[in-house]
Amino acid sequence: IHFYKRIMFKNLKLLSQTNTRLSQSHLAQLHIWSSGPASDLPTTPSSPSILLFGFAGSSPHHLAKQAAVYSSLGYNSLAAILPAQHLFSYDITQIQTCAHLVVEAAYKHNYQEVVIHSLSNNGAILYQHLTQLVATQYQDIIIKGAVFDSAPGPGTHIEHLPFPVASKGRLTKRFLYTAYQTVNKANRMKLRDIMAASVDQFRHLEVNWKLHKDVPYPGAFLTQERADWPLLFLYSKKDNQMPWRYISSIAEHQRKQGRNVSEKMFSSSGHVAHLKIHPEEYKQTIGNFLDNIVK
């Protein structure tokens, strides 16, 4: 039996004996909420509005920090956190459903022109499916730009090596299994909960993989995307979860396609920690990007 199946079946037996499982309804909840401009700014918010997509395992508290940056710059924002198990179980149907819910929320708040800010691959995959949805069904929503914060990343381990390696970059199940455990550990989940999440992932990924294995992961999607809105990539050599060379190569690829691409490499911040470690640089970089869009 495959190594991962052997581990998952062992964990499933253990968890059934101890009667510990994560609540699927709790895990699958999509959080969406709005923020407005700071109170000391003019009452009319700047256009475009911002769609903020959170990293795997993030909470409204985490995303509120990014929303505060946009509020201080005078922009409305709508934040959403895709449930992490949708990404790591590769449940494309659920991801598309979440993208629909975000579009509905954007309509409810009268957002017509938007800039999308995606944190890590969890945010980037929601960007991926929302932009496809807008292109095919909701063309009255105009995407004015996109910010990729510690994203996008590859779907294999080989690009994480500390030197350039030629790779086809196809997503693998092994990557999704190990990445989910790594992310949950980084988010300080208890070991028992990590194991429960992994068992639940196994149940769903084995089914979803047969249906969606050819759907590109965010990094591969960004190499294929043919759109005209400008892009900003925020990354760091100190990020041990997202290889900076890979992000830089995506940016360069889009630039060669004639797209307006900006990059900011921070000196000492880890994964999705650029705002925390470099708050003034972060805000200035975002502000300059938006200023160029609204000119």
Side-chain angles (χ1 to χ4, degrees):
I1 302 175
H2 189 279
F3 172 76
Y4 289 100
K5 290 185 178 180
R6 196 163 63 241
I7 293 297
M8 293 302 168
F9 281 128
K10 180 179 179 181
N11 292 340
L12 178 57
K13 183 178 179 181
L14 174 64
L15 288 167
S16 63
Q17 291 174 346
T18 56
N19 196 28
T20 58
R21 281 198 60 201
L22 291 179
S23 166
Q24 184 68 20
S25 61
H26 171 73
L27 284 170
Q29 185 177 3
L30 177 70
H31 298 279
I32 304 177
W33 71 98
S34 62
S35 301
S39 58
D40 57 344
L41 294 175
T43 55
T44 303
S46 301
S47 182
S49 301
I50 312 300
L51 300 181
L52 278 168
F53 296 158
F55 61 89
S58 58
S59 68
H61 170 74
H62 292 124
L63 228 54
K65 299 172 184 178
Q66 267 77 22
V69 170
Y70 287 103
S71 292
S72 71
L73 294 170
Y75 293 89
N76 280 327
S77 66
L78 192 67
I81 302 173
L82 178 75
Q85 78 273 19
H86 294 341
L87 170 63
F88 293 108
S89 296
Y90 224 52
D91 194 337
I92 300 302
T93 301
Q94 286 294 334
I95 295 170
Q96 291 170 340
T97 297
C98 290
H100 271 283
L101 292 174
V102 173
V103 171
E104 290 175 5
Y107 277 123
K108 180 180 178 181
H109 288 83
N110 296 315
Y111 287 7
Q112 292 183 320
E113 297 184 342
V114 299
V115 169
I116 303 174
H117 185 134
S118 304
L119 288 100
S120 197
N121 281 327
N122 202 64
I125 202 163
L126 189 54
Y127 162 92
Q128 174 178 333
H129 291 281
L130 183 136
T131 54
Q132 292 176 309
L133 195 61
V134 167
T136 57
Q137 299 183 40
Y138 301 101
Q139 297 177 2
D140 52 334
I141 291 181
I142 302 171
I143 300 173
K144 300 292 289 184
V147 179
F148 291 95
D149 190 331
S150 302
T156 67
H157 293 98
I158 194 168
E159 284 92 350
H160 288 260
L161 294 172
F163 46 82
V165 178
S167 169
K168 294 182 180 179
R170 286 186 62 85
L171 178 66
T172 65
K173 282 195 297 183
R174 177 178 294 184
F175 175 83
L176 290 171
Y177 281 131
T178 57
Y180 195 27
Q181 293 183 11
T182 300
V183 165
N184 287 336
K185 183 178 180 180
N187 288 329
R188 300 180 180 179
M189 284 179 60
K190 294 180 180 180
L191 178 60
R192 180 173 291 180
D193 289 340
I194 292 174
M195 302 300 278
S198 296
V199 171
D200 190 73
Q201 178 196 27
F202 172 73
R203 290 191 182 113
H204 294 89
L205 181 55
E206 293 301 308
V207 175
N208 292 329
W209 188 254
K210 297 174 183 177
L211 301 173
H212 306 305
K213 65 181 179 180
D214 293 326
V215 176
Y217 206 56
F221 172 78
L222 260 293
T223 65
Q224 304 170 11
E225 186 182 52
R226 297 293 179 266
D228 58 0
W229 52 82
L231 304 175
L232 170 61
F233 294 89
L234 309 174
Y235 58 98
S236 169
K237 288 185 178 181
K238 299 295 184 180
D239 187 341
N240 59 12
Q241 293 189 42
M242 205 65 67
W244 69 270
R245 286 188 180 87
Y246 185 82
I247 297 176
S248 181
S249 70
I250 297 293
E252 183 59 24
H253 179 83
Q254 284 290 341
R255 189 178 289 113
K256 287 181 178 178
Q257 301 298 319
R259 205 159 180 183
N260 183 352
V261 177
S262 302
E263 298 175 65
K264 175 63 177 179
M265 180 186 287
F266 294 95
S267 60
S268 58
S269 43
H271 191 61
V272 296
H274 313 314
L275 173 59
K276 178 180 179 181
I277 305 301
H278 306 284
E280 293 305 319
E281 280 185 81
Y282 189 95
K283 181 177 177 180
Q284 183 177 2
T285 302
I286 294 290
N288 291 342
F289 181 69
L290 292 173
D291 286 345
N292 289 330
I293 288 175
V294 300
K295 281 182 180 178

